[in-house]
Amino acid sequence: SQQGEEDPQALSIQEGENATMNCSYKTSINNLQWYRQNSGRGLVHLILIRSNEREKHSGRLRVTLDTSKKSSSLLITASRAADTASYFCATGASKDTGRRALTFGSGTRLQVQP
Amino acid sequence: GAGVSQSPRYKVTKRGQDVALRCDPISGHVSLYWYRQALGQGPEFLTYFNYEAQQDKSGLPNDRFSAERPEGSISTLTIQRTEQRDSAMYRCASSPTGQRTEAFFGQGTRLTVV
């Protein structure tokens, strides 16, 4: 079963616009990670935010985490056509279930129009 | 090697045959994960190792699926008596110290059961 659920499932924007994707999860976590996947290729790690952090930045990426609402958001600013990909959130160390492997959501498919 | 290596990249097998999928993690990485990914979906957790110990196999769908990592490095995922529903992309990932750090994914093995 999948822990995280991304919203929206699909997003289409123009180059230069910002893209926001949301992730909700169900159990307590130690950290939350975001990954990108281009056209069925391997997944690439983007950013990790720990449960005691509220916001983190990496280049054009901004991630927020609200553990009280069990949700996270990924913001990509000034999007480029090369950002077209599927984006997944993954949760680590579920204290409730004891699972210590990353559990992935179903992803948001982002299309950036040039 | 420089990254996680999976072999074969593509495998076509007849229903009822056994298959073995190989994962060579990044040298020195403690944790190794197996995931299965259907088209348009996020990776679905199968099993997880720390060193040679299988920590969690709760994601294996049934007893036709098994995995091992005998020397704490290379891992093999074996599917016995394959069925058409086993067709999917099988992905392996490794991380230095478990789910508290980022996971590095291989390119996957595309399994097709005919």
Side-chain angles (χ1 to χ4, degrees), chain A residues 2 30-31 33 35 37 40-43 45 48 50 88 92-93 99-102 104-106 109, chain B residues 33 35 37 40-45 48 55-56 58-59 89 91 99-103 105-107:
Chain A
Q2 294 183 312
N30 174 276
N31 68 76
Q33 305 180 29
Y35 288 77
Q37 185 175 40
R41 291 184 175 181
L43 288 93
H45 180 266
L48 180 154
R50 303 193 190 285
F88 297 92
R99 171 165 292 172
R100 288 172 286 171
L102 290 174
F104 285 80
S106 52
R109 283 162 288 288
Chain B
Y33 312 86
Y35 290 87
Q37 187 174 22
Q41 297 295 315
E44 174 192 17
F45 170 75
Y48 155 60
Q55 300 288 329
D56 187 345
S58 63
M89 178 70 83
R91 298 197 183 274
Q99 42 69 34
R100 294 171 185 266
T101 57
E102 68 177 285
F105 279 81
Q107 291 300 305

Side-chain angles (χ1 to χ4, degrees), chain B residues 45-66:
Chain B
F45 170 75
L46 295 177
T47 187
Y48 155 60
F49 292 84
N50 266 351
Y51 300 103
E52 72 281 359
Q54 191 169 23
Q55 300 288 329
D56 187 345
K57 58 180 181 179
S58 63
L60 296 176
N62 51 60
D63 59 9
R64 295 186 296 106
F65 287 72
S66 62

Side-chain angles (χ1 to χ4, degrees), chain B residues 11-112:
Chain B
K11 177 70 177 178
V12 180
T13 190
K14 291 185 177 180
R15 191 171 45 187
Q17 297 292 307
D18 299 350
V19 295
L21 311 181
R22 173 185 165 123
C23 174
D24 195 347
I26 293 173
S27 178
H29 276 194
V30 169
S31 301
L32 184 147
Y33 312 86
W34 283 100
Y35 290 87
R36 179 170 68 175
Q37 187 174 22
L39 197 62
Q41 297 295 315
E44 174 192 17
F45 170 75
L46 295 177
T47 187
Y48 155 60
F49 292 84
N50 266 351
Y51 300 103
E52 72 281 359
Q54 191 169 23
Q55 300 288 329
D56 187 345
K57 58 180 181 179
S58 63
L60 296 176
N62 51 60
D63 59 9
R64 295 186 296 106
F65 287 72
S66 62
E68 63 175 9
R69 193 187 185 197
E71 297 178 0
S73 178
I74 292 169
S75 177
T76 303
L77 176 70
T78 301
I79 309 173
Q80 295 179 311
R81 305 180 301 282
T82 52
E83 301 177 5
Q84 284 188 321
R85 60 177 173 160
D86 299 334
S87 296
M89 178 70 83
Y90 288 82
R91 298 197 183 274
C92 174
S94 69
S95 67
T97 55
Q99 42 69 34
R100 294 171 185 266
T101 57
E102 68 177 285
F104 296 81
F105 279 81
Q107 291 300 305
T109 294
R110 168 72 65 186
L111 174 66
T112 303

